[in-house]
Amino acid sequence: MERHCFQQLPDGYEKTLTLDLQKDTKLALVVNGLAVGIAAVMFAAGFLLMPAFTIFASLPSLAAFLVCTVLYMVLHELVHGACMKLFGAKKVRFGFTGLYAFAGSSEYFKKGAYIVVALAPLVVWGAVFLALNLAMGAKHFWFIYMLQLVNVSGAAGDLYVSFRFLRMPNDILVQDTGVSMTVFTRN
């Protein structure tokens, strides 16, 4: 059976890159700018699909949206964690830094496995919200679509690292502790 992660860094690997949105202000601005750009494009596209914006017509609907958004954030991280476990992580940690919710592990993931870990919540919840939008009709369009907007724009960091890692050698290993990612390459 092929291993997708390692508990200890294999011999012959050295640290090549560290990405830390908490410490690297420039990177945080890039990722957050990407998130805002995605949200703006999706919001504009929503008006092409459904011109009447009715999601926040009442305080209860706003409160329900905020509760669903927080629930979604928890579920997003649980999908990351479930994928980490699926690929062999012994322990997954969850937390919130004040800016970001996270799932992390001390294991070292192979490139392909890590990209699946990174993108799984976007794909899983994207499909769920699309199905809900199609099933629920126009009355609930904006409520569900705004959750989809949170899903896609909130995955800006996941998209950024996936595209960045895709350009790296196939034998990289990625350690994602939740607040930072470190990439190791074979020397």
Side-chain angles (χ1 to χ4, degrees), residues 163-184:
F163 286 118
R164 187 147 183 199
F165 295 166
L166 278 170
R167 296 189 327 235
M168 298 181 85
N170 284 334
D171 61 353
I172 66 168
L173 297 176
V174 180
Q175 183 182 47
D176 183 348
T177 61
V179 294
S180 70
M181 282 158 274
T182 306
V183 178
F184 299 85

Side-chain angles (χ1 to χ4, degrees), residues 17-105:
L17 172 70
T18 299
L19 300 172
D20 189 333
L21 292 175
Q22 297 285 77
K23 294 180 181 172
D24 187 341
T25 306
K26 184 178 175 184
L27 178 60
L29 288 173
V30 167
V31 170
N32 288 316
L34 178 62
V36 169
I38 290 169
V41 168
M42 285 187 69
F43 193 70
F47 279 102
L48 295 174
L49 297 168
M50 187 69 56
F53 184 72
T54 58
I55 183 174
F56 304 128
S58 68
L59 191 57
S61 65
L62 175 60
F65 177 75
L66 293 174
V67 167
C68 287
T69 300
V70 170
L71 178 61
Y72 158 76
M73 290 169 58
V74 170
L75 294 171
H76 176 106
E77 297 308 325
L78 286 174
V79 171
H80 280 310
C83 285
M84 288 177 174
K85 292 292 264 180
L86 179 71
F87 287 124
K90 298 292 182 210
K91 183 172 179 169
V92 177
R93 292 177 308 282
F94 297 93
F96 184 71
T97 66
L99 291 175
Y100 306 103
F102 68 85
S105 172

Side-chain angles (χ1 to χ4, degrees), residues 92-130:
V92 177
R93 292 177 308 282
F94 297 93
F96 184 71
T97 66
L99 291 175
Y100 306 103
F102 68 85
S105 172
S106 61
E107 274 85 4
Y108 303 87
F109 293 90
K110 287 184 174 182
K111 176 181 172 177
Y114 185 75
I115 289 171
V116 171
V117 167
L119 295 179
L122 173 65
V123 172
V124 168
W125 294 111
V128 168
F129 292 138
L130 176 61

